[in-house]
Structures are given as structure tokens and as C-alpha cells.
Amino acid sequence: MKLNDSFSRRNFLKSLGYGAGALALAPALNAFSQGLPADKKLGIALVGLGGYAGGQLAPALQQTTNCYLAGIVTGTPSKADEWSKKYNIPEKNIYNYANFDSIKDNPAIDIVYIVLPVALHKEFTIRAAKAGKHVICEKPMALNAADCTEMIEACKKANRMLSIGYRLHFEPHNQEVMRLGQQKVLGKVTAIDTANGFVYGGDPNAWRLKKVLSGGGALMDMGVYSIQGSRYSVGKEPLYVTATEEKTKPDLFKDVDETIFWELEFPDGLKAKGRSSYNNNWGYLKVTAEKGNFELQPAFGYGGIHGSTSAGPMNFPQVNQQALQMDDFARCVINKKPTIVPGEEGRKDMLVIDAIYRSIASGKREKIG
Ligand code: NAD
């Protein structure tokens, strides 16, 4: 532990809020006690039955309290059959991309959850809102910030709520980083270092490697978590960014970015270093503050998050992030309360991503927004 002499371990733990020998219950878990009819369940329709919908969201929807898997939207008839049997989804709640708009006549569907390639997020968010449904849209929110604005406006116009699939806001270790950094529990944050990526070994023809469908490579897919992480570590918006790009596999990544390095500049002089990659297994968020530091590693996945501060491990429970995220949104809809992860939050990250791509193109420091 690296602390000032005057700052004893006991005081340090106390200042973290870890007093009385017990950790505070994670805020996400406490949310369940917030008043609402316990038996109210909203119907969610998943749009796009790929890896994330099938591997994470559908199983999570078996564990939710205030929402359930009511419908599906897919372009593949065999998937419709398979999902219908597996999750007991009635024929009347199954749509394809062509007849999707008729979902407006289906009162069993309250929320549409868009889990499609990025380029389709805007179209389906707007169609869902026009059909009178509340929307959850996966990250990254859209191809660029201008599209995010259109999505936000469409949902406002339809008087529907829009949320982004930012599951980490419901994850206790990440919530603790928000608390420590934003409330300056260990003093002002003085530096941030974060990276997220994996070694891409998938299909070379997948949508993730086609700019027209993905909007970009690892920055869009993985870097968005590091940008989010930097922003929620301090609860502030960065003003400038300087970025560079590295490509070691130009054949595979001919259309999208492989590895990007950036530095965000926050209003009070704080600098946050970030990296995204399709060629490195990264996944950490390290925050240095005046009186100590805190970090998460792995920080952003859903296979287990580990966190520590200068005083030792965080010891929060592992949770089903997707179940908590979807339940929270359902409660926001039921109680007519704003979500903590609205479209505006997705747009803020896209403003940063847009500026990172501009900086790479110009070779200069770029203003964000
Ligand atoms: P995927 O490739 O596994 O699934 C995409 C689905 O979209 C497939 O079912 C595919 O058939 C369908 N699709 C419809 N039109 C398509 C088209 N024109 N081209 C290609 N596919 C088309 O992708 P995924 O990993 O499930 O990602 C989907 C979305 O979820 C993305 O926005 C991604 O960033 C996001 N995601 C989020 C997380 C998270 O932790 N929040 C994790 C993984 C993916």
C-alpha cells in the first residue's frame, strides 16, 4: 500500500466507506428494494439473434424480475423456430425485419432491444420508437454522434424512453470506481490509464471488420468501454483528444482500425490515456488520485470483474450485469423515471469517438464535440 504517512490504513478504509468490517451492499442490488409493483413484468423483444442476444441477453432475461423475453425479431426463419421452442415465444410475437413495424399493434411488447450491427442501430431505434415502443440499443450507439442525435430526437418525439446497453453502470466494481472518483473519496483524480481489446481471431468477413456496418474497428467495439470508463471515473466530459493508430495486420483490418492510442484532456488538466485493440488482450481501468489509487482488471467484461484500491481488493459480488441493466430499465419505464444510461450517454461517447477518428486523420489535437 502506497499512502501518505498521515493517512493510516484504518482511516483509508474508513474513507473508502468500507467501515464496520463489512462492505456496503452494491447499489445495484439495493435497487431491487425500490418501490414498485413486484409482479409487474414488461415484455422485451430482442432484435437480432446473434452472439450477444443468444449468449447473454436471452439467458439474462430468465433471471429478471420486471421484464421477460416476450418476442424476437430475426431475418432467419430457422432461428425463429429454435428460439420459439427454447424460450416459449408465441408465433404472434415473432417478427422479421420487413414486418417489424407491425409490432406497434402488439401490446405484449413494451421494450425493443436492438442487438444488431452498429449501422442498423439508428434505423431500428427510430422504427421501434415510431411503433410506440421503448428502446434499449446496444453499444456503440450509432455510426457517429449526428446519428445519435437523430435517435434521441425520434424517441423524444414519440415520447418513448431510450437507453444504451451500458451494463457496467449496474456492476458493483464499476459503480465503486464511479463513487471513488466522482466523490473524490481519495482526493482529486490525477491520472487515468485504460485499455480494452482482444486478439481478433474470428471470421475475416464478419460485419465487425466492414466499416459500412461497424463504423470502425476496435475503437467502436472495445474502445467505447475505455472512453466510458474514463468519463465515469470523474463524472466529467473531456474537451480535447489526440490520437494515433497502429496497424500490424493491414490485410485483416483493411477497412477498420486495429489498435488506437489516445489521450483525453479533461477541463481541470486531467489527462486520460486510452487504447483499443483487435490485436491485444487488454481490459483494465487504472485511476490515480491524490491520496491513493484504484483499478479494475478485468474491468469491462462479463466473465468476472476484479477491483482493488491501494488498500486491497474490493470484494464486491459478481452479478448478472445484463439482468440488472434490463430490470433497471423496465423499472424506469414502469415508474416513469429517467434511466441512468440514456441515449445522451451513448452520444457523449460517440462525440469522443468522432474526435478520435478526426485526430487520426488530421494528425492533430482535436476538440471534442
Ligand atoms: P453478431 O454478429 O453475433 O450478431 C448480429 C446479428 O445481427 C446476427 O443475428 C445477424 O444475423 C443480424 N444481422 C441483421 N442484419 C445484418 C447484417 N446486415 N449484417 C450482419 N448481421 C446482421 O453480433 P453481436 O456480437 O451479437 O453484436 C450485436 C450488437 O451487440 C453490436 O452492437 C455489439 O457491439 C453489441 N454487443 C454488446 C456487448 C455488450 O457487452 N454490451 C457484447 C457483444 C456485442
Side-chain angles (χ1 to χ4, degrees):
M1 189 166 74
K2 215 173 113 198
L3 292 171
N4 297 338
D5 289 343
S6 61
F7 205 65
S8 71
R9 182 181 164 85
R10 217 173 74 218
N11 283 338
F12 184 77
L13 288 170
K14 216 166 118 194
S15 74
L16 287 169
Y18 297 166
L23 287 170
L25 239 197
L29 300 179
N30 284 343
F32 279 112
S33 59
Q34 284 162 17
L36 75 140
D39 55 347
K40 180 109 176 163
K41 268 186 188 262
L42 300 187
I44 293 193
L46 295 176
V47 186
L49 308 181
Y52 193 56
Q56 305 303 322
L57 297 177
L61 281 163
Q62 312 310 305
Q63 296 184 31
T64 40
T65 311
N66 295 111
C67 52
Y68 73 105
L69 180 55
I72 47 175
V73 184
T74 176
T76 315
S78 60
K79 278 193 203 166
D81 288 347
E82 185 197 320
W83 278 63
S84 158
K85 286 195 192 91
K86 187 166 179 187
Y87 293 111
N88 200 17
I89 298 168
E91 186 65 35
K92 69 174 182 64
N93 293 354
I94 301 176
Y95 296 86
N96 58 44
Y97 301 122
N99 68 14
F100 170 67
D101 307 277
S102 62
I103 205 166
K104 73 178 192 311
D105 302 318
N106 191 339
I109 310 297
D110 303 286
I111 297 167
V112 164
Y113 195 148
I114 294 150
V115 208
L116 291 165
V118 184
L120 298 167
H121 290 184
K122 177 172 99 171
E123 177 193 333
F124 279 86
T125 294
I126 294 173
R127 285 171 72 180
K130 281 189 177 159
K133 306 302 174 187
H134 301 283
V135 183
I136 309 175
C137 175
E138 256 317 314
K139 49 57 58 177
M141 182 172 168
L143 295 177
N144 51 58
D147 282 2
C148 297
T149 305
E150 278 187 58
M151 293 157 76
I152 293 166
E153 290 305 317
C155 290
K156 268 196 193 133
K157 199 171 158 203
N159 197 20
R160 299 294 86 181
M161 287 176 67
L162 169 61
S163 180
I164 307 304
Y166 284 149
R167 54 185 166 70
L168 292 168
H169 285 252
F170 307 92
E171 195 287 314
H173 301 81
N174 278 269
Q175 288 174 324
E176 179 64 351
V177 162
M178 296 173 204
R179 187 183 77 88
L180 294 174
Q182 293 178 21
Q183 296 179 19
K184 302 189 177 74
V185 175
L186 299 178
K188 220 174 101 180
V189 170
T190 55
I192 297 173
D193 177 13
T194 171
N196 200 28
F198 66 97
V199 178
Y200 188 93
D203 178 3
N205 295 311
W207 67 265
R208 278 189 166 78
L209 302 193
K210 291 182 181 143
K211 192 167 184 221
V212 67
L213 285 171
S214 61
L219 178 65
M220 294 284 282
D221 194 19
M222 306 303 285
V224 66
Y225 291 95
S226 283
I227 292 164
Q228 261 278 305
S230 300
R231 291 180 47 246
Y232 60 62
S233 292
V234 286
K236 290 183 184 154
E237 298 310 317
L239 299 175
Y240 296 94
V241 67
T242 310
T244 55
E245 183 179 17
E246 179 185 275
K247 222 170 250 200
T248 62
K249 296 176 182 166
D251 289 343
L252 186 58
F253 302 113
K254 56 182 175 295
D255 209 21
V256 298
D257 48 280
E258 177 186 318
T259 301
I260 287 180
F261 306 83
W262 68 85
E263 186 175 76
L264 301 177
E265 296 174 51
F266 284 84
D268 50 2
L270 168 70
K271 291 187 174 168
K273 282 188 192 307
R275 293 178 290 169
S276 58
S277 186
Y278 271 158
N279 198 32
N280 289 279
N281 292 314
W282 293 328
Y284 68 81
L285 174 60
K286 298 181 182 182
V287 184
T288 308
E290 288 165 321
K291 299 177 200 159
N293 47 61
F294 42 102
E295 68 172 69
L296 305 179
Q297 187 163 9
F300 307 119
Y302 36 80
I305 307 274
H306 181 262
S308 61
T309 70
S310 339
M314 282 183 184
N315 286 330
F316 288 110
Q318 301 298 330
V319 297
N320 187 318
Q321 301 170 27
Q322 290 85 357
L324 291 173
Q325 172 215 322
M326 290 187 281
D327 256 344
D328 185 81
F329 187 62
R331 282 193 294 273
C332 288
V333 170
I334 293 166
N335 293 326
K336 299 189 169 53
K337 295 259 168 64
T339 162
I340 56 169
V341 282
E344 284 78 1
E345 192 61 29
R347 183 174 175 275
K348 284 174 185 166
D349 287 331
M350 283 313 305
L351 285 170
V352 177
I353 288 176
D354 288 352
I356 289 177
Y357 285 130
R358 280 203 306 277
S359 174
I360 288 166
S362 71
K364 292 186 185 142
R365 174 183 186 244
E366 291 285 340
K367 195 169 172 11
I368 296 167

